[in-house]
Amino acid sequence: MFFNKTIEQVLEEFGSNPITGLSQNQSEVKREKFGLNQLTTKKPKTLIAMFFAQLNDILIYILIAAAVISALLGETSDAIIIAIVIIINATVGIIQESKAEKALDALKKLSTPKAIVKRDGQLNEIPSEEVVPGDIIIIDAGRYVPCDLRLIEAANLKIEESTLTGESVPVDKDASLVLPGEDIPLGDQKNMLFMSTLATYGRGVGIAVSTGMDTQIGKIAKMLDEKVDDETPLQKKLAQLGKYLGIGALFICALMFIVGVLQKRDLFEMLLVSISLAVAAIPEGLPAIVTIVLAMGVQKMIKENAIVRKLPAVETLGSVNIICSDKTGTLTQNKMTVTKFYADGKLGAIDSLNINHTEHKLLLENLILCNDATYSENSKTGDPTEIALLQAGVDYSIFKDDLEKTHKRIDEIPFDSDRKLMTTVNKYDNDYYVMTKGAIDNLLNLCTKAYIKGNIIEITPNIKKDILAASNNMSDNALRVLGAAYKILPSSHVEIDSLERDLILIGLVGMIDPPRLEVKDSISLCMKSGIKTVMITGDHQNTAFAIAKDLNITNDSSEVISGTELDKMSDVELNNRIESIRVFARVSPEHKVKIVRALKSKGNIVSMTGDGVNDAPSLKMADIGVAMGITGTDVAKGAADMILIDDNFSTIVAAIKEGRNIFTNIKKTIIFLLSCNIGEIIALFLAILLGWATPLRPIHILWVNLITDTLPALALGVDPGDPDVMKYKPRNPKDSLFKGESLNLLLNGLLIGILTLAAFVIGAKYYSGDTNLFPLFPGNLSEDALKHAQTMAFVVLSVSQLVHSLNMRNEKKSIFQIGLFSNKYLIGAIVFGILLQDFIITVPFLANVFSVHSLSLMDWSFVTILSLMPLLLNEIVKIFKRSSSII
Ligand code: ATP
């Protein structure tokens, strides 16, 4: 119990010091003792459990039944092969599943919250897991509390504790309280903070009193891992499609069985053929392959600095047609430098500031005291705007640490992007100075007087005009402008609401924040690919427009509007204008929601960036909410679909490009697998309908399915991106997966089926030596001729499918244009598949098991020509496709 102890008692108990925190050594010893600060997660599944989970599938049951029937009827080799197929299938399933899980785990780790901890006197941001009891921890708005803390300092700190108490209204915290008694409900422990609750406002410092499973949330053992629905729309669609296709395949197999029985064929053989075909034709592996392709794509995106938190985002990324981006830090470098100031009615370069002038000195002191950043040679923490102000002070040998010793902070109202203001109260001898800084338009509304040449005078319209002219001059030159104002209080006991009233304006500063160099190219790339970039900023209209011009977002000032104008518009007016606005300036987080809603109402697929506590609603509402990795709060990250590790706009564009490629690859894989399945169905069903001998044995079908469904399908899933992918317009999410491809899919399936039958006919004719037109009826073929014919059909079916995978790499471009060897995995999979095939027919033992014959050179030439047909015919079709389109 720590709520009933004084701060000193708690500090003593943990041997911690609020100024220096723990030493690195102490923290390591404690980590050994208390372990990592995390809630123990679910036990990982054992390999055996995973294996059995893979077997839990209706199709596998059918296969097991087929194996048992085969064994009972003495067909041991069939039974063994089916068993091997089942084992390989399950193993591939386990590998895929654990790979996908690992990738998702790695993602989760990357987006876990961080904590600001004081160690060896320095503030460091460390992963929350590394926090130990006794650590001194800083909490600010938007941050999750990393463990249970006893507060030692709190400034207007409000905490949302709904995860623990169910109460969603944030509670005020107070470090100075010592609560008597033993039994106080968590919700009333106002001097304590609890793990996983969220700071929504203010600032606080606390000492870690318990970590990991010892925390309140750990004790309740309530897992935080909310069960999110990770199935993407595509996966859902596929699961549905799989069901329909499965029913279709079962129907055809049943029909085939009935036809076979009516033709008085061998019952057992027909049963096995039908079951094998059903197993091969039902695309049960599709959702797993899609998951693994998505997960691997997400891994690739991490290398490009984008962490996708929710898998569906990968698909949506490919459809984004509007990117709404913050300016500061995303389009610009967030490397602020104060270059100008305005005081005493004069605008000047910052190096002409004279520290001996009282107004100039007060201006600097205001900006340094009303400031939460820290600045030392080795470490700078906090908002870059504030760091720039501290830097300006350091250039004049005014250091925040020194200044705060003589002018202690008594009270404060933190900065927030709605008010665009921040205020502190600092002690100056016997007086208390209210120091306010912020956006000049907002600040000017609170000022009644100005401090000019040693006099405090009423702000006349002329003075106001001068101030605004100076501000406009700076913002027209792309500078971010910050005003500083103050007033003197005789006593510190003042209502917080009246602090920011009747202020005296001291002056302004302007700071430069250069655009990111790579962003201009990304914006023009977006333009070419039908994606519009919209700037949304809290900054002044002129500053925003100057930077938007520089980045080629717009050159037209009528495409810029401010938050105030936005407020005046009705929803209908906004909806009518929304698509022509390229810059929204001086907006608050609430405006962002309005903007996303209006854009979405016009059918756009919108990506929106954000970093602050209040950005969460707009991030959630956007199709793709993007949070900043560096400056983003935990709340923004929690609400986002994607996190930018480097806060960079270009990363969003890179992620969109990757998203488009991933979607295309998934599409290729699906169409490939389905056309192969159709080929198998056609070959067998047609042969049975025509009354021919079965061209393929059950194990042939199972084997081909195993070869094509795994490696080539996965290799297509990781196909290198098409360099032209950003030349196309964004994909309409409502479009069918098979848009423009259904005919292609069917024709290629038909082709593979017919080629397989052709190989069967050629083999049968050649080896039976029969001149009869129909040597193919079961009774007309010798066993040896049938074996030969089936071998040729078997090889053509598998090799033509492997070769067909090359066609899938691009809808229009020739395989030689994109480079035959540019997907080494695919080439590897094809070569490996062909070698295995050759192995099966040439190694006597295997040939025996598969009931196949080795092929002569002549046979191989037929087989090769037939197997290359899909490539040849598709290349010819692609020539026509290319000549009828621009790209
Ligand atoms: P963007 O939305 O482009 O990223 P931003 O997030 O920097 O812009 P805000 O942080 O909301 O926008 O800042 C808006 C305005 O608030 C700035 O133009 C500045 O005048 C003022 N401002 C920014 N930071 C502070 C601060 N720490 N203290 C006081 N005022 C600030």
Side-chain angles (χ1 to χ4, degrees):
M1 232 90 64
F2 299 97
F3 54 80
N4 54 10
K5 293 190 177 136
T6 64
I7 294 171
E8 291 69 29
Q9 282 169 328
V10 181
L11 286 170
E12 201 184 309
E13 193 171 325
F14 285 93
S16 198
N17 175 328
I19 312 285
T20 59
L22 294 177
S23 69
Q24 200 56 36
N25 272 348
Q26 276 175 312
S27 65
E28 272 158 30
V29 172
K30 290 197 179 213
R31 176 131 22 101
E32 279 288 304
K33 185 169 167 201
F34 294 99
L36 284 178
N37 173 36
Q38 60 188 11
L39 299 179
T40 343
T41 41
K42 291 165 271 169
K43 272 195 198 136
K45 269 200 239 164
T46 63
L47 214 58
I48 305 275
M50 281 167 93
F51 187 79
F52 280 106
Q54 289 293 330
L55 298 187
N56 190 11
D57 184 301
I58 183 81
L59 285 169
I60 302 289
Y61 295 157
I62 298 179
L63 264 189
I64 294 175
V68 173
I69 296 173
S70 308
L72 288 178
L73 292 177
E75 300 279 346
T76 349
S77 63
D78 275 3
I80 293 175
I81 286 287
I82 296 176
I84 292 176
V85 165
I86 294 173
I87 293 172
I88 298 184
N89 244 331
T91 315
V92 170
I94 293 176
I95 296 174
Q96 289 182 342
E97 197 177 273
S98 52
K99 206 163 175 180
E101 206 150 277
K102 249 190 217 151
L104 294 178
D105 271 356
L107 283 185
K108 244 192 223 160
K109 271 213 180 103
L110 274 172
S111 48
T112 50
K114 296 209 162 64
I116 300 186
V117 174
K118 203 178 251 185
R119 289 208 184 136
D120 287 323
Q122 293 274 352
L123 284 181
N124 297 302
E125 195 164 42
I126 61 169
S128 295
E129 288 176 356
E130 293 174 16
V131 167
V132 293
D135 264 330
I136 300 294
I137 292 175
I138 316 293
I139 299 291
D140 49 10
R143 200 174 283 277
Y144 282 111
V145 176
C147 60
D148 287 359
L149 301 170
R150 165 69 162 95
L151 280 173
I152 54 182
E153 202 182 308
N156 301 306
L157 185 62
K158 287 185 200 291
I159 305 281
E160 202 251 277
E161 297 184 330
S162 61
T163 34
L164 208 58
T165 60
E167 173 58 62
S168 60
V169 179
V171 281
D172 288 304
K173 293 287 178 175
D174 186 346
S176 64
L177 296 176
V178 177
L179 304 167
E182 294 282 310
D183 206 11
I184 293 184
L186 291 183
D188 294 338
Q189 296 182 17
K190 303 258 171 168
N191 54 3
M192 296 286 298
L193 304 189
F194 303 104
M195 184 178 194
S196 303
T197 58
L198 177 69
T200 56
Y201 193 75
R203 210 173 43 82
V205 183
I207 171 167
V209 290
S210 36
T211 57
M213 292 307 280
D214 297 334
T215 57
Q216 290 300 333
I217 197 125
K219 276 185 201 148
I220 302 171
K222 186 166 151 194
M223 289 302 306
L224 279 171
D225 261 328
E226 341 145 35
K227 187 87 195 110
V228 281
D229 182 7
D230 264 346
E231 276 223 327
T232 75
L234 179 63
Q235 282 172 313
K236 284 183 193 150
K237 242 192 254 172
L238 276 180
Q240 186 117 46
L241 179 80
K243 260 187 215 146
Y244 294 139
L245 289 177
I247 295 171
L250 280 178
F251 176 74
I252 293 180
C253 293
L255 200 66
M256 198 168 78
F257 180 71
I258 295 168
V259 172
V261 172
L262 290 179
Q263 290 174 347
K264 301 209 169 32
R265 291 177 187 247
D266 182 279
L267 206 69
F268 171 65
E269 193 200 340
M270 276 321 294
L271 186 71
L272 270 194
V273 168
S274 308
I275 290 180
S276 313
L277 187 61
V279 171
I282 294 173
E284 80 283 358
L286 264 189
I289 291 203
V290 171
T291 310
I292 194 150
V293 172
L294 282 173
M296 289 203 285
V298 165
Q299 287 291 323
K300 210 165 150 201
M301 283 190 182
I302 295 176
K303 290 195 192 116
E304 311 237 20
N305 286 328
I307 301 175
V308 172
R309 291 188 62 250
K310 299 172 188 161
L311 273 192
V314 180
E315 283 167 50
T316 320
L317 270 171
S319 307
V320 166
N321 72 329
I322 294 195
I323 309 179
C324 296
S325 172
D326 281 349
K327 172 182 69 67
T328 313
T330 315
L331 296 169
T332 65
Q333 298 179 12
N334 215 0
K335 289 199 180 117
M336 308 260 180
T337 316
V338 180
T339 55
K340 292 214 163 153
F341 80 103
Y342 171 84
D344 266 350
K346 273 203 204 94
L347 186 65
I350 191 72
D351 50 14
S352 65
L353 188 135
N354 185 347
I355 209 65
N356 298 322
H357 274 184
T358 353
E359 300 80 10
H360 291 192
K361 186 160 171 265
L362 188 61
L363 176 66
L364 264 190
E365 285 187 359
N366 170 299
L367 299 172
I368 294 167
L369 286 169
C370 178
N371 194 315
D372 282 331
T374 67
Y375 190 105
S376 72
E377 219 169 298
N378 304 326
S379 118
K380 300 172 181 62
T381 65
D383 175 1
T385 302
E386 297 198 331
I387 295 175
L389 299 173
L390 296 188
Q391 167 77 57
V394 169
D395 293 343
Y396 284 92
S397 302
I398 302 180
F399 301 96
K400 186 183 175 197
D401 284 352
D402 298 343
L403 208 57
E404 273 194 332
K405 273 183 205 138
T406 43
H407 304 305
K408 201 165 176 295
R409 190 187 286 190
I410 307 295
D411 208 343
E412 67 191 75
I413 308 176
F415 172 74
D416 83 58
S417 38
D418 277 323
R419 301 184 318 118
K420 300 179 173 46
L421 294 168
M422 169 175 175
T423 294
T424 59
V425 181
N426 297 76
K427 197 159 181 349
Y428 271 68
D429 299 327
N430 293 325
D431 291 329
Y432 295 91
Y433 276 39
V434 174
M435 299 291 208
T436 302
K437 74 175 193 319
I440 184 62
D441 15 4
N442 299 32
L443 188 68
L444 217 45
N445 287 337
L446 309 175
C447 293
T448 46
K449 302 190 183 71
Y451 188 28
I452 301 177
K453 301 199 173 119
N455 302 312
I456 294 171
I457 50 175
E458 291 290 324
I459 297 185
T460 60
N462 269 345
I463 293 179
K464 190 167 177 177
K465 213 170 100 197
D466 284 350
I467 297 168
L468 288 177
S471 164
N472 284 341
N473 181 308
M474 291 194 268
S475 51
D476 281 343
N477 286 303
L479 299 188
R480 157 175 284 219
V481 181
L482 220 67
Y486 83 116
K487 72 176 173 187
I488 303 173
L489 299 173
S491 136
S492 68
H493 296 292
V494 178
E495 278 291 304
I496 200 110
D497 293 347
S498 65
L499 281 183
E500 291 173 348
R501 255 185 236 155
D502 292 329
L503 296 174
I504 305 156
L505 189 89
I506 314 168
L508 315 174
V509 284
M511 50 186 89
I512 188 85
D513 177 19
R516 288 180 183 263
L517 299 175
E518 62 282 19
V519 159
K520 215 168 171 170
D521 287 342
S522 301
I523 290 176
S524 75
L525 182 65
C526 284
M527 209 129 63
K528 284 184 200 133
S529 59
I531 302 171
K532 233 193 297 179
T533 309
V534 173
M535 178 196 279
I536 300 190
T537 176
D539 237 335
H540 193 277
Q541 201 152 335
N542 300 8
T543 315
F545 184 46
I547 293 179
K549 266 198 291 198
D550 197 7
L551 290 172
N552 284 339
I553 292 178
T554 181
N555 266 319
D556 182 350
S557 61
S558 72
E559 294 184 344
V560 183
I561 76 161
S562 71
T564 329
E565 285 172 78
L566 203 60
D567 281 332
K568 288 184 197 141
M569 283 186 186
S570 69
D571 283 351
V572 179
E573 277 170 314
L574 179 62
N575 287 358
N576 288 339
R577 260 195 81 185
I578 190 82
E579 291 188 294
S580 64
I581 303 169
R582 303 303 295 272
V583 177
F584 293 87
R586 276 286 188 256
V587 291
S588 326
E590 290 85 82
H591 290 124
K592 286 184 165 183
V593 175
K594 219 171 156 182
I595 296 168
V596 175
R597 192 182 299 127
L599 283 170
K600 280 179 77 169
S601 78
K602 292 275 170 182
N604 296 296
I605 307 291
V606 186
S607 148
M608 168 67 82
T609 64
D611 48 13
V613 190
N614 305 340
D615 283 331
S618 59
L619 294 185
K620 277 198 184 136
M621 179 177 275
D623 297 285
I624 297 281
V626 181
M628 301 299 141
I630 305 171
T631 56
T633 53
D634 292 341
V635 192
K637 288 180 189 166
D641 300 289
M642 184 166 96
I643 299 173
L644 304 180
I645 299 176
D646 57 357
D647 289 10
N648 191 342
F649 176 84
S650 300
T651 303
I652 309 177
V653 183
I656 290 181
K657 187 173 169 196
E658 204 52 59
R660 287 184 176 196
N661 277 327
I662 293 172
F663 192 85
T664 318
N665 283 350
I666 289 178
K667 195 170 153 182
K668 291 177 199 171
T669 313
I670 296 171
I671 293 180
F672 169 65
L673 288 177
L674 293 185
S675 50
C676 292
N677 287 357
I678 291 178
E680 287 155 21
I681 294 182
I682 285 178
L684 272 162
F685 195 45
L686 220 59
I688 302 283
L689 270 188
L690 292 172
W692 295 358
T694 44
L696 295 159
R697 292 180 61 79
I699 49 174
H700 299 166
I701 307 167
L702 292 175
W703 175 257
V704 172
N705 193 44
L706 203 62
I707 290 197
T708 49
D709 265 14
T710 49
L711 295 181
L714 278 179
L716 274 178
V718 292
D719 207 21
D722 178 2
D724 287 337
V725 74
M726 292 301 269
K727 287 189 185 159
Y728 303 99
K729 297 276 161 280
R731 177 179 59 88
N732 181 347
K734 290 193 189 114
D735 279 351
S736 138
L737 190 64
F738 303 111
K739 191 181 171 222
E741 291 290 304
S742 336
L743 190 64
N744 183 2
L745 165 70
L746 285 174
L747 288 181
N748 274 304
L750 193 66
L751 181 64
I752 291 172
I754 289 175
L755 289 171
T756 307
L757 285 182
F760 183 63
V761 173
I762 291 172
K765 278 265 187 205
Y766 192 73
Y767 286 100
S768 64
D770 197 339
T771 50
N772 191 335
L773 196 61
F774 295 111
L776 303 162
F777 294 117
N780 296 356
L781 275 176
S782 70
E783 203 169 304
D784 194 55
L786 179 64
K787 206 177 193 185
H788 253 106
Q790 283 181 336
T791 309
M792 286 180 68
F794 177 34
V795 177
V796 167
L797 180 68
S798 79
V799 180
S800 66
Q801 289 190 0
L802 290 171
V803 169
H804 176 52
S805 65
L806 291 172
N807 297 327
M808 302 311 308
R809 291 196 52 201
N810 198 293
E811 274 175 48
K812 291 185 185 131
K813 287 185 198 161
S814 156
I815 182 71
F816 303 104
Q817 270 176 312
I818 48 179
L820 187 59
F821 296 102
S822 55
N823 182 345
K824 296 205 171 53
Y825 297 113
L826 188 59
I827 292 296
I830 295 173
V831 171
F832 181 66
I834 295 178
L835 284 180
L836 274 185
Q837 197 63 42
D838 190 37
F839 218 55
I840 285 175
I841 58 172
T842 47
V843 175
F845 167 72
L846 290 175
N848 213 5
V849 173
F850 277 83
S851 284
V852 283
H853 221 288
S854 65
L855 295 183
S856 69
L857 211 60
M858 182 73 166
D859 297 337
W860 269 115
S861 4
F862 277 126
V863 163
T864 311
I865 292 172
L866 289 174
S867 301
L868 286 175
M869 290 310 269
L871 182 63
L872 185 72
L873 293 178
N874 275 282
E875 283 290 322
I876 295 172
V877 171
K878 284 181 188 177
I879 295 176
F880 287 108
K881 276 191 180 171
R882 283 199 296 278
S883 61
S884 63
S885 72
I886 314 142
I887 299 168

